[in-house]
Amino acid sequence: MLDVLNRPAADTADTDDPNAPDRLSPAPLRPYLILAVVLCGLYFLYSWVQYTHFRTPSWDLGIFGQSVRAYAEFRAPVVDIKGPGFHILGDHFSPVTALLAPLYWIWPSPAALLFAQAALFASGAVVVGRTTQQVLGSRAAGIGLAVAYGLSWGLQEAVKSDFHEIAFAVPMLALTCRALLLGRWTAAVAWSAPLVLVKEDMGLTVAMVGAVLFLKGQKRLGAALAGFGVAAFALTVLVLIPAASRVGEYDYWSKIEKTGQGAETSFGQVITDALVSGERWEMVIFLLAITGFLALRSPLILLVLPTLGWRFLSQDPNHWGMHWHYSAILMPVVFLALVDAARSVRTSPRAWLAAYGKVVVPVATAVALVLAVNLPLRELLKSETYRTDTRATEARAAVAAVPEGVSVEADVSLLAHLTADHRVYWVGTSKGATPDYLAFDLRGWSQQVSDPVQLASQLHPEARYEITYRSDGFAVLKKV
């Protein structure tokens, strides 16, 4: 990636666009690498503190930790957390996470995944910042927009949500948009096509890259890429995922077909709900507001439609709004769409629009800084963030009470901390297995536990468990 970014600024021999500018503004790599290192440090520090203080927001880090460990050990990506023998490619199609296996050999811990995500997110700042300087001819604009990208709400919420496979898509989409901006059509294809290995819905984003190429006059190449993206999406959700799934189908269709209460929903009702949902529209407004709404003038903005589309149709409230990791992949797209639009309005006959194009990057930077005051990374400025409380101490003792190499069924708060050297199940999904140990969060992820022995007998009537560790917050039980 760095080799691609470090090409001489005046070298346009690799461009496929006969209408591309003869020269790009010079843009040294070093300032953006320094900024990326700082951002990587901030992202990882937040993730590390959250991990070591047992503040995990979901079971996802445990799931990815288990699947990457399987790849590192040259096994099929079986994730027992989702059920004994559960093949993760039957849930989401994300074989790209196998690339983390070498890092896991060096650092066999879920924390390695958090570091990888921090580095991948931060690398996008190099692409966004340097591209901005090359296209708009201003280092201040490049640094400013790189900062706006790095502090954007989509990335900060993704960092807060632990690791997810979409971390790979962020720099790939940044490089795709860069190639489209510079008229390097084959590079755009090369960077976007592998997105189909990140997650199943990315095939539709690849197809939209093809649509942008088509609009820019690359009709044959664009049509081919669009066809590839649609075919990859169909192949993944209709063939590959069902083949690996226990139920023989893509389970996430239910996110559209059913409401949160499990009742069937007509497609007409789904559309109506999507159009009148304030929370869904809120994320769209904030997505565009961080670019001063000027990104709407760039065809690159089309790349956000597939992701926004399935999120609008989903009946799961977790997919709406500004929380979780779902908006991270949109951040490099909207900021580079802003760069494209700012370049295009320079020659606008409307004086006000041309003037706005000159100040929109500082506006976007200021908006990012203002929003950052209420976003997750602000916690790094508070002393209590780093303070180890009683709960974290008790959780650490509970993990230590589970011998290395045994099978264990645990609550969400302990899952990720056990995956590196245990076979781990999630409480309530280990049907068909009898773990050697049980590790309960007595305050409960969904309900409090007053009698862990009784809960053990309910979960596994075929076995008997006795307590080996007990504190106010956690209990560990051994099969006897």
Side-chain angles (χ1 to χ4, degrees):
M1 182 188 298
L2 295 182
D3 179 65
V4 172
L5 289 171
N6 208 26
R7 289 172 176 157
D11 179 12
T12 58
D14 61 342
T15 183
D16 301 313
D17 184 5
N19 298 315
D22 292 334
R23 295 181 63 87
L24 294 172
S25 298
L29 189 59
R30 181 178 298 177
Y32 301 103
L33 284 177
I34 293 172
L35 177 59
V37 169
V38 172
L39 289 172
C40 179
L42 292 175
Y43 298 154
F44 182 63
L45 177 59
Y46 183 96
S47 300
W48 174 256
V49 171
Q50 183 167 260
Y51 173 74
T52 56
H53 288 71
F54 292 82
R55 298 168 186 159
T56 182
S58 74
W59 65 347
D60 289 345
L61 182 59
I63 289 173
F64 285 107
Q66 210 165 49
S67 64
V68 172
R69 177 188 173 188
Y71 285 126
E73 296 175 352
F74 301 101
R75 295 185 285 108
V78 170
V79 175
D80 292 307
I81 289 173
K82 291 192 70 91
F86 188 97
H87 198 298
I88 197 61
L89 295 183
D91 184 51
H92 287 302
F93 190 74
S94 303
V96 70
T97 56
L99 295 177
L100 294 174
L103 177 61
Y104 201 87
W105 297 336
I106 300 170
W107 188 5
S109 167
L113 279 62
L114 298 175
F115 176 77
Q117 176 171 268
L120 288 166
F121 283 171
S123 67
V126 180
V127 183
V128 170
R130 189 162 184 267
T131 303
T132 301
Q133 181 173 346
Q134 288 180 297
V135 172
L136 299 183
S138 166
R139 177 177 294 191
I143 295 295
L145 212 60
V147 169
Y149 159 88
L151 297 180
S152 61
W153 59 267
L155 292 185
Q156 290 204 44
E157 290 294 338
V159 169
K160 181 181 177 180
S161 303
D162 284 339
F163 175 85
H164 290 91
E165 71 286 276
I166 53 87
F168 286 94
V170 171
M172 292 167 67
L173 279 168
L175 288 163
T176 298
C177 291
R178 170 183 169 84
L180 291 171
L181 269 172
L182 302 183
R184 297 168 180 168
W185 313 129
T186 53
V189 173
W191 283 116
S192 63
L195 285 168
V196 301
L197 302 177
V198 175
K199 199 174 179 183
E200 62 276 4
D201 64 293
M202 286 283 95
L204 298 179
T205 300
V206 173
M208 198 58 71
V209 175
V212 173
L213 285 171
F214 191 91
L215 291 175
K216 286 182 173 290
Q218 305 300 305
K219 293 182 169 49
R220 183 175 299 179
L221 187 61
L225 185 62
F228 167 76
V230 172
F233 171 75
L235 176 67
T236 304
V237 300
L238 299 178
V239 179
L240 298 181
I241 291 178
S245 172
R246 290 178 176 176
V247 297
E249 64 180 9
Y250 181 52
D251 190 48
Y252 289 90
W253 292 126
S254 61
K255 296 291 186 180
I256 296 176
E257 296 169 352
K258 297 179 183 297
T259 66
Q261 290 72 40
E264 294 290 341
T265 306
S266 68
F267 189 70
Q269 185 62 43
V270 168
I271 296 296
T272 301
D273 290 345
L275 293 178
V276 300
S277 169
E279 196 171 1
R280 290 173 171 98
W281 284 108
E282 179 187 43
M283 70 177 174
V284 175
I285 292 172
F286 271 91
L287 181 68
L288 298 175
I290 58 177
T291 71
F293 295 94
L294 195 63
L296 285 169
R297 294 185 63 87
S298 168
L300 296 184
I301 201 67
L302 294 175
L303 302 188
V304 308
L305 295 182
T307 299
L308 290 182
W310 71 257
R311 292 174 67 186
F312 259 68
L313 295 178
S314 174
Q315 298 295 297
D316 186 345
N318 289 317
H319 294 154
W320 313 337
M322 299 168 63
H323 301 295
W324 299 103
H325 58 286
Y326 303 107
S327 295
I329 61 173
L330 306 180
M331 297 299 108
V333 175
V334 296
F335 282 112
L336 288 175
L338 169 62
V339 174
D340 186 29
R343 174 177 63 179
S344 68
V345 300
R346 282 178 169 180
T347 56
S348 173
R350 300 170 183 155
W352 68 268
L353 186 57
Y356 184 55
K358 294 178 180 178
V359 301
V360 71
V361 170
V363 168
T365 305
V367 169
L369 293 173
V370 170
L371 290 178
V373 174
N374 294 309
L375 290 173
L377 289 183
R378 76 186 187 281
E379 300 298 325
L380 296 177
L381 300 176
K382 301 177 181 177
S383 60
E384 57 266 29
T385 298
Y386 309 94
R387 192 175 301 132
T388 300
D389 56 16
T390 302
R391 174 177 169 78
T393 301
E394 292 176 349
R396 197 170 294 118
V399 170
V402 182
E404 183 177 342
V406 302
S407 60
V408 56
E409 181 175 341
D411 284 303
V412 166
S413 53
L414 302 176
L415 286 177
H417 295 265
L418 293 164
T419 56
D421 48 13
H422 303 85
R423 184 172 185 177
V424 184
Y425 305 94
W426 184 43
V427 172
T429 64
S430 61
K431 186 177 181 180
T434 306
D436 301 319
Y437 279 76
L438 305 176
F440 295 141
D441 182 343
L442 300 181
R443 294 177 178 85
W445 192 255
S446 58
Q447 61 181 2
Q448 291 191 347
V449 179
S450 58
D451 188 342
V453 174
Q454 181 183 21
L455 177 58
S457 65
Q458 293 172 352
L459 293 172
H460 299 284
E462 75 283 0
R464 186 167 67 88
Y465 290 87
E466 66 178 13
I467 295 176
T468 60
Y469 168 81
R470 176 80 185 256
S471 65
D472 290 339
F474 296 89
V476 176
L477 298 87
K478 177 184 179 181
K479 185 176 66 175
V480 297

